[in-house]
Amino acid sequence: GGAGWGSGGSPRSPCPGSCWEVRKHNSSEWCHFIRSNPDCQMDGGFLNYLDGVFCVFPPRLLPLAVTLYALWLLYLFIILGVTAEKFFCPNLSAISTNLKLSHNGTPDLFLDVPLHGVTFLAFGNGAPDVFSAVVAFSDPRTAGLAIGAIFGAGVFVTTVVAGGIALVKPFTAASRPFLRDVIFYMVAVFLTFVVLYLGRIRLGEALGYLGLYVFYVLTVVLCTWIHRRQRGDGLAPPGPWEPEMPTDVEEPEPSGTNSGDYGEEYRPLLPSQESSLRILTAALSPLDYRKWRRKPWYWRLFKAFKVPVELVLLLTVPVVDPDKDDLNWRRPLNCLHILTSPLLCVLTLKSGTYGLYQIQGIFPVWGLVTLVASALALIIFITTSNEEPPKYHCVFAFLGFLASAMWINAAATELVNILRTLGIIFQLSNTVLGLTLLAWGNSIGDTFSDLTMARQGYPRMAFSACFGGIIFNILVGVGLGCLLQMTSSQPLVKLEPDSPLVWVLAGALGLSLVFSFVTVPAQCFQLGKAYGVCLLTYYLLFLSVALLTEFRVIHFSTP
């Protein structure tokens, strides 16, 4: 648990000796203050950002350091997005497909579709948010970031994204799912409000969060089952759930006639001609040159930034694709993954402390992992062929899932550390950083995918995805984040909001939900441009009040 959020807290009342006071000292003393103060020690992460900004850069170059940190922050969001979208979600999808295929009986078939939406898909979309929350809760000094980000993303998604969908394509919302999701989310927000008011979260409450999510999943499954029974098509093909998948903004486009002809014409010749080296180089190329030529300049620029990340991820994370005939089996690359994925896992766990640990003071753990994995990779390479995936190929989906989760966790740890550093430099509370930078960064991918889905003609799907995802984030983010913090000796986590901003956040989120809960049924679930404009205006108003509260222009008496 630890001692509240004091040390990372509000600019007006830092705890004595907290890292917050560094800017009050003379610039010549900054470095000594940072290095000698225990509150300034960064627990996880590979880079010490505080040391970098106050010791490596001279004081006059502080603006340059902040600019570099801001660019690195943006790049971390790109890393999070690419990993979740191209590696984490596909492997999660492959695992869920494998689990479904193993139930040979068909009666459960129709349950898989909504279950997939509220569990696997929500986990795939919410991975960066949940990992960021777990990392932030792991240190009492950054717990404010987690609350700020979870509430901030909630306000952002329920106003900006939902309003944007209504503006892009006015539509009629699905009445029962909408009411069900809003009620569950209101209960989750109320639970969090109570926990914050009490200033602590016990084991029972943390398990209550996770239990409520399980109850939500069961309710969704039951509602879908009842709805299908009423329509009289119990085993209907998964119609309305299909569009939930186009999360990748790039994919829905047809990839041109050439590629189709190429695939059909040459498919029979490929197995006999392609060498392992050719397969490896083709599999490691993150660029599709035909697509590159067709795309506008800004897409190419963004892609150029993503290529280094994609290349490193391709080298370390296997992806199993159940939609392809060969399940995305690339023998040379997959055998390389047998070595790179476990190495990645031991070197990123607790920022490498386990990987660099010397067994009996002689042999490092990473050396042992390398030896075992190399032997295993060699055996698999010898016993398999380039053309046919082995029977146990689905194991690679679990390996890919684990490796991409480690990448997301590592990026989330750096993200939380850099935000804490920016908070100390600019004297901002963690809550405001959470509700702005962290919430926006984690929601940007969902925003684009939901608006793209709406433009493609699936606004109802996008609208329900809005609520389903944030219910997962708040219940699993807070529940899991606090549960992992609890020890047998201290089964509670202290949450002491030091800034009135937390109450502004909770109030704003509650109010936006009540607004939608009242106005949507009042409009007979027909959502148009007026509803969208109202929500966007509400968000701007909320942001103004939040920033004015942070800078002490508006005063609130805390409860």
Side-chain angles (χ1 to χ4, degrees):
W5 310 347
S7 46
S10 152
R12 66 187 183 284
S13 57
C15 299
S18 84
C19 207
W20 216 254
E21 304 196 322
V22 63
R23 293 293 299 274
K24 294 183 179 174
H25 290 69
N26 196 339
S27 60
S28 58
E29 298 168 16
W30 284 353
C31 186
H32 175 70
F33 182 87
I34 289 290
R35 286 184 173 165
S36 60
N37 191 333
D39 187 55
C40 297
Q41 301 313 308
M42 295 267 181
D43 292 336
F46 291 94
L47 300 171
N48 189 335
Y49 296 104
L50 279 171
D51 194 79
V53 78
F54 290 116
C55 298
V56 177
F57 284 89
R60 67 177 183 281
L61 287 182
L62 189 67
L64 174 66
V66 170
T67 309
L68 291 174
Y69 278 18
L71 292 172
W72 176 231
L73 184 73
L74 282 174
Y75 206 65
L76 282 169
F77 280 123
I78 291 177
I79 293 173
L80 275 176
V82 170
T83 314
E85 180 188 325
K86 296 237 167 91
F87 296 85
F88 190 79
C89 288
N91 279 318
L92 205 53
S93 185
I95 290 170
S96 77
T97 306
N98 272 314
L99 294 179
K100 274 191 270 187
L101 293 176
S102 63
H103 299 299
N104 293 320
T106 48
D108 289 341
L109 194 73
F110 65 99
L111 292 186
D112 285 332
V113 186
L115 199 59
H116 182 77
V118 294
T119 52
F120 289 107
L121 202 84
F123 189 31
N125 288 345
D129 311 70
V130 170
F131 277 101
S132 304
V134 169
V135 170
F137 274 123
S138 69
D139 184 343
R141 295 170 300 189
T142 52
L145 268 177
I147 293 290
I150 286 172
F151 275 11
V155 180
F156 183 80
V157 171
T158 53
T159 56
V160 176
V161 183
I165 292 167
L167 281 172
V168 166
K169 204 165 184 76
F171 67 104
T172 305
S175 54
R176 279 180 294 190
F178 169 77
L179 293 173
R180 174 197 68 212
D181 289 352
V182 172
I183 289 167
F184 265 100
Y185 197 42
M186 282 157 103
V187 171
V189 172
F190 180 71
L191 248 179
T192 314
F193 197 88
V194 170
V195 163
L196 285 172
Y197 187 78
L198 295 173
R200 47 127 189 92
I201 182 166
R202 292 186 191 279
L203 181 64
E205 287 149 354
L207 290 172
Y209 269 94
L210 298 174
L212 186 60
Y213 188 68
V214 172
F215 181 54
Y216 169 68
V217 171
L218 294 174
T219 310
V220 170
V221 169
L222 192 67
C223 287
T224 311
W225 184 74
I226 292 168
H227 183 57
R228 298 238 169 119
R229 280 294 291 271
Q230 284 175 346
R231 281 186 13 219
D233 51 0
L235 286 174
W241 283 87
E242 292 284 309
E244 190 142 12
M245 289 321 284
T247 46
D248 188 344
V249 183
E250 304 166 13
E251 288 315 305
E253 302 202 1
S255 47
T257 48
N258 301 356
S259 60
D261 301 344
Y262 176 89
E264 291 303 313
E265 256 175 76
Y266 296 107
R267 183 62 52 82
L269 298 174
L270 284 176
S272 57
Q273 287 185 345
E274 279 210 302
S275 65
S276 293
L277 191 65
R278 285 275 302 275
I279 292 173
L280 184 64
T281 49
L284 282 175
S285 164
L287 273 179
D288 177 348
Y289 293 103
R290 281 188 297 272
K291 200 175 195 178
W292 176 266
R293 284 204 299 271
R294 284 203 322 273
K295 293 287 184 178
W297 65 269
Y298 54 85
W299 184 91
R300 292 186 197 183
L301 186 68
F302 187 53
K303 186 70 176 173
F305 280 113
K306 291 199 305 191
V307 162
V309 183
E310 288 179 5
L311 191 61
V312 175
L313 286 164
L314 283 169
L315 270 169
T316 50
V317 184
V319 177
V320 176
D321 188 349
D323 298 331
K324 288 187 179 174
D325 291 338
D326 60 358
L327 304 175
N328 204 32
W329 167 248
R330 304 284 179 270
R331 184 174 71 142
L333 183 60
N334 287 145
C335 290
L336 187 64
H337 286 147
I338 297 283
L339 173 64
T340 55
S341 292
L343 263 180
L344 169 87
C345 292
V346 294
L347 291 174
T348 51
L349 198 65
K350 288 280 183 202
S351 306
T353 41
Y354 293 130
L356 302 173
Y357 175 74
Q358 308 254 325
I359 303 165
Q360 304 232 313
I362 310 163
F363 200 66
V365 172
W366 67 264
L368 180 69
V369 170
T370 306
L371 282 176
V372 175
S374 301
L376 193 60
L378 195 63
I379 292 166
I380 289 175
F381 191 77
I382 293 165
T383 56
T384 54
S385 71
N386 285 339
E387 293 79 41
E388 193 67 33
K391 295 272 190 292
Y392 49 82
H393 187 223
C394 60
V395 175
F396 282 89
F398 288 93
L399 184 64
F401 170 75
L402 188 66
S404 49
M406 295 309 290
W407 268 114
I408 291 173
N409 189 46
T413 307
E414 298 301 316
L415 198 66
V416 167
N417 284 345
I418 203 167
L419 285 173
R420 179 171 176 242
T421 306
L422 290 173
I424 288 167
I425 295 169
F426 291 115
Q427 304 277 286
L428 294 169
S429 73
N430 280 327
T431 313
V432 81
L433 286 168
L435 82 91
T436 52
L437 296 178
L438 194 54
W440 293 337
N442 282 340
S443 305
I444 202 86
D446 291 354
T447 309
F448 280 121
S449 63
D450 286 344
L451 291 178
T452 306
M453 222 186 285
R455 266 203 301 274
Q456 286 172 351
Y458 305 114
R460 282 174 73 160
M461 196 72 265
F463 193 68
S464 65
C466 275
F467 285 93
I470 50 177
I471 291 173
F472 177 83
N473 293 354
I474 192 169
L475 291 175
V476 179
V478 177
L480 199 62
C482 292
L483 197 62
L484 293 176
Q485 273 318 95
M486 293 177 188
T487 55
S488 49
S489 57
Q490 194 182 20
L492 92 158
V493 174
K494 285 185 180 173
L495 299 174
E496 295 164 1
D498 57 336
S499 160
L501 188 58
V502 174
W503 305 110
V504 174
L505 253 178
L509 184 51
L511 203 61
S512 89
L513 290 172
V514 169
F515 173 75
S516 285
F517 188 64
V518 171
T519 57
V520 173
Q523 299 171 78
C524 302
F525 297 94
Q526 290 179 344
L527 307 181
K529 289 191 164 47
Y531 175 71
V533 170
C534 283
L535 286 182
L536 292 172
T537 311
Y538 179 85
Y539 186 75
L540 291 174
L541 189 68
F542 150 73
L543 206 56
S544 311
V545 172
L547 293 174
L548 290 173
T549 308
E550 172 66 20
F551 297 118
R552 309 290 294 137
V553 178
I554 299 177
H555 296 265
F556 285 96
S557 58
T558 48

